[in-house]
Structures are given as C-alpha cells and as structure tokens.
Amino acid sequence: MNAHSLTGFEVENLEFRPNGRAILSDLNASFNCGRIYGIIGPNGAGKSTLMKLLARHLRPTAGKVRFAGDDANGWNGRAFAREVAYLPQSLPTAEHQTVRELVALGRYPWHGPFRKLSTEDRNAVDTALDETGSREHENRLVGTLSGGERQRAWIAMVLAQARHFLLLDEPTSALDLAHQARILALLRDIVDRRGIGVALIVHDLNIAAQFCDRILALRDGRLIASDAPSQIMTPKVLTDLYDIPMEVFAHPADGRPVGYIAS
C-alpha cells in the first residue's frame, strides 16, 4: 500500500462526553497522508482528547473516527499499530535503554513479543535512526541525551513502527525555540519524502503556520476553524481562538503570516 494513496483519518460528528460533560462536540475533520496537520488552541480546548480518540486510546461518545475508510475501532490492534503510531505528551521512562533499543521497540507490532528482530525490522530501525539524525547516538543511553536528541529518538521509534500516520501530542513542548523549529523541519522533511501523514499538537502558532499544511483551531471542545495557515493566521480567527486581541504581519523574509498579541 502506497502512503500517498492511503486515505488517513476522517472524523464525523465526533463527540466525547464522559459523565455528560462535553469535552468535544460535533467535530468534523479529515487528516490525509502526505500532510502535516497542526492542532492549536488554548488549554482545555480538547486537543489531547482528540488525539487520544484518533489513536483509539479513547472511544467516542458519539460520531465516528475512520481510518483508511473503515471504523478505526474495528481495526485489529496490531494491524492498526503497524499503520498508525501515537506519541503521548507524557512519555514512558526509557532512561536505561540505548537509543537503538528504544527505536527497536517500535517494531513490536511487526514481530510480537517472542520473535527476534528480522532483517526487515533491523532495516526499519536503521532507516529511522538515519532519517532523524539519531544514528550517531544509537549506543548512548536515552537518559544521557539532551532534550532535542531525546525527542528525535522517540520520533525515530514511531517512524520504525508506523507506515502511514503519526499522532504526536506536543512533541516540542519541552524544547527551546530553536529545537522546536528543528523538530518541525525534521517532520516536514520526513512527510515530504515518505508521504506519511502527521497530526501534532503545537502551542507556538507561528511555528505551526511555518511548517504545517493545515491548521485545526479548537476552543471549548469545538472546531472553530480548519484551513491553510494563511486562512487561520488572521486577526479575527486568532482573537476568537485565544480570546485576546491578536494582530498579524507578513514576515519580511518570505511573507508568511506571523501572529502576535496586540498591545
């Protein structure tokens, strides 16, 4: 199956209401392979909940999540994990594993708990290490890495796992501005070369506008806008989204929109 020809996620009338409290309401969206989708919005908007619903860590109260045209919750667990990988905001401990051992964990859906890594598995690990610039650290313990190096290793792990889609919950939250940009540039390069899809939660709306193909803006559990960055990065949309006066100017180098809080 070619990633470019694969339909990604489709979300139809999605709702999540645990104990009757609406966290997501009447959400419709699509996420195709070959694109990066940035999910933005204030705290409590429902961004992580949406990500968990796509990853099947939660089941919707109402509506549908489809992947490749089928009900996502109808997929066999291992088959789904071979197509889609989810990287949560709070990562499990891996301090005493080497980078190569961590990345190799991504091959679990392919070989199961008792088989050794095959040649195909080792090749997938090597490719993921090379694509993320993690090869030079492959024998280092994860606990000795810098924040940016560690995040690259985790991204390599999900790349070794999934053929068609990555779901990343705030993959740049603990990084400085330069490393945030480098991680997004890395993902941009991988998407362009592999044709996979990426949906990620990001708080820096200007970085999202620079690297994402489409931005989804959530507030109070509702999708208030979903469009190309140039259509999202307007004073009206940003002011409505963050409930604070926002303005936008054209970047002097390339003309892309840059948002800021109005004084």
Side-chain angles (χ1 to χ4, degrees):
M1 189 185 301
N2 184 288
H4 289 282
S5 64
L6 183 75
T7 302
F9 287 94
E10 295 174 325
V11 172
E12 181 182 341
N13 301 324
L14 187 65
E15 293 194 1
F16 187 65
R17 295 174 174 265
N19 302 317
R21 174 174 169 263
I23 295 179
L24 287 176
S25 301
D26 194 28
L27 197 149
N28 294 274
S30 60
F31 304 82
N32 296 322
C33 291
R35 289 186 168 189
I36 299 180
Y37 295 83
I39 302 172
I40 66 172
N43 292 338
K47 302 184 297 296
S48 291
T49 298
L50 173 58
M51 197 69 74
K52 290 175 183 177
L53 287 163
L54 295 176
R56 309 196 320 169
H57 286 227
L58 295 173
R59 283 183 173 266
T61 305
K64 289 288 186 181
V65 177
R66 295 187 179 88
F67 179 73
D70 297 321
D71 185 345
N73 288 300
W75 278 68
N76 169 272
R78 183 174 290 183
F80 186 78
R82 290 177 175 181
E83 305 296 336
V84 179
Y86 167 61
L87 199 62
Q89 183 178 353
S90 298
L91 297 171
T93 182
E95 302 296 294
H96 302 295
Q97 291 178 303
T98 67
V99 170
R100 173 169 279 276
E101 288 169 342
L102 173 64
V103 177
L105 289 177
R107 297 304 294 173
Y108 180 85
W110 296 88
H111 62 72
F114 302 115
R115 288 176 51 195
K116 294 182 178 180
L117 293 180
S118 66
T119 299
E120 181 182 1
D121 292 325
R122 289 191 293 272
N123 289 341
V125 170
D126 287 338
T127 298
L129 288 167
D130 289 337
E131 285 184 314
T132 58
S134 300
R135 170 75 77 168
E136 62 183 301
H137 309 303
E138 64 177 324
N139 295 316
R140 287 178 58 186
L141 295 178
V142 173
T144 69
L145 302 177
S146 69
E149 292 166 347
R150 185 177 309 200
Q151 200 63 8
R152 284 174 179 266
W154 280 103
I155 291 172
M157 189 269 283
V158 292
L159 279 174
Q161 173 188 329
R163 292 189 294 188
H164 291 118
F165 220 98
L166 306 183
L167 302 170
L168 310 176
D169 190 342
E170 297 195 35
T172 61
S173 62
L175 303 179
D176 62 38
L177 189 61
H179 281 94
Q180 289 182 47
R182 290 180 187 128
I183 291 294
L184 267 292
L186 168 69
L187 293 170
R188 176 78 270 167
D189 181 61
I190 289 168
V191 167
D192 290 343
R193 284 189 290 107
R194 282 200 183 196
I196 65 173
V198 171
L200 59 92
I201 296 172
V202 58
H203 279 291
D204 191 312
L205 58 93
N206 291 316
I207 286 182
Q210 182 176 358
F211 292 102
C212 295
D213 298 295
R214 195 172 186 89
I215 295 178
L216 288 80
L218 290 178
R219 180 172 177 183
D220 298 329
R222 294 185 178 274
L223 184 66
I224 68 167
S226 175
D227 215 322
S230 60
Q231 301 303 308
I232 298 294
M233 299 290 288
T234 67
K236 182 181 187 315
V237 172
L238 297 182
T239 297
D240 289 346
L241 178 63
Y242 292 106
D243 196 25
I244 190 170
M246 299 285 291
E247 294 291 343
V248 175
F249 69 90
H251 194 284
D254 56 16
R256 60 184 166 85
V258 177
Y260 64 97
I261 298 173
S263 58

